């Protein structure tokens, strides 16, 4: 985030660091709030909406939908962080709902392992994209991946696909 502020929008490093801090603070608050909401709403639609919101916030910043000043930059990153934070409780409910009763632990293990692998690999890949292209392209890719992840979660909701994925998944055996 600081590199996007500095290299992408010629903002100060203080603005970039503030935006990153706001992203993490709003993420944490929304994780707690999402825990309350997860029992009340269908996780597929909330995840779809929140990933679309996070993608919109990031893509709006990098394609100059708004004039980006320091307040707008921090606000867009806060919005993205809030949407990202809401996903966690709903993700856990989705995994629980779509796991066979005897394999819930394996399903969570699978999800958290590959989430950790993604957290390990993505900074390296994004760094390579920044080196080979621009920082705005890297953040546009992040927004695109937010959209893609939301679409995948929405696809889980279709009964035909959900039934097929359970029959094919090694986690449900």
């Amino acid at each position: 985030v600081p590199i996007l502020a500095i290299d992408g929008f010629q903002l100060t490093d203080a603005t970039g660091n503030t935006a990153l801090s706001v992203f993490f603070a709003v993420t944490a608050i929304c994780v707690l709030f999402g825990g309350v909401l997860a029992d009340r709403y269908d996780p597929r639609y909330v995840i779809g909406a929140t990933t679309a919101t996070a993608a919109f916030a990031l893509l709006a910043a990098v394609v100059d939908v708004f004039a980006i000043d320091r307040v707008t930059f921090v606000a867009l990153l806060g919005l993205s962080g809030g949407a990202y934070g809401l996903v966690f409780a709903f993700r856990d409910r989705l995994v629980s709902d779509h796991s066979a009763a005897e394999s819930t632990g394996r399903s969570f293990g699978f999800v958290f392992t590959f989430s950790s692998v993604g957290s390990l690999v993505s900074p390296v890949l994004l760094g390579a994209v920044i080196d080979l292209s621009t920082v705005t392209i890297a953040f546009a890719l992040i927004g695109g991946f937010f959209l893609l992840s939301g679409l995948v979660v929405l696809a889980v909701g279709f009964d035909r696909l959900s039934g097929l994925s359970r029959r094919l998944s090694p986690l449900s055996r």
Side-chain angles (χ1 to χ4, degrees):
V1 172
I3 195 169
L4 177 63
I6 296 164
D7 291 348
F9 300 110
Q10 291 71 48
L11 299 170
T12 65
D13 58 342
T15 301
N17 290 329
T18 299
L20 185 61
S21 296
V22 167
F23 177 89
F24 285 130
V26 175
T27 297
I29 291 166
C30 288
V31 166
L32 291 172
F33 187 61
V36 173
L37 296 176
D39 292 329
R40 297 183 184 163
Y41 299 101
D42 188 325
R44 294 165 296 152
Y45 301 120
V46 174
I47 291 172
T50 55
T51 56
T53 301
F56 165 76
L58 290 175
L59 293 172
V62 298
V63 297
D64 293 329
V65 171
F66 305 109
I68 301 295
D69 59 6
R70 65 177 190 239
V71 173
T72 305
F73 185 74
V74 171
L76 286 173
L77 268 291
L79 177 64
S80 180
Y84 178 66
L86 283 174
V87 167
F88 288 105
F90 287 96
R91 176 204 59 198
D92 294 347
R93 179 159 166 235
L94 188 71
V95 170
S96 181
D97 289 351
H98 288 275
S99 297
E102 65 280 351
S103 68
T104 303
R106 283 185 298 206
S107 296
F108 276 101
F110 180 81
V111 168
F112 285 103
T113 297
F114 283 95
S115 178
S116 297
V117 169
S119 295
L120 175 72
V121 172
S122 61
V124 175
L125 294 177
L126 289 172
V129 169
I130 290 169
D131 288 343
L132 296 172
S133 184
T134 66
V135 68
T136 54
I137 297 295
F139 277 83
L141 283 172
I142 294 169
F145 283 121
F146 269 125
L147 280 177
L148 181 63
S149 65
L151 291 173
V152 168
V153 169
L154 288 174
V156 170
F158 296 117
D159 290 336
R160 185 178 64 84
L161 291 175
S162 181
L164 177 64
S165 68
R166 281 193 183 194
R167 287 190 300 274
L168 296 178
S169 174
L171 300 176
S172 63
R173 293 185 187 137

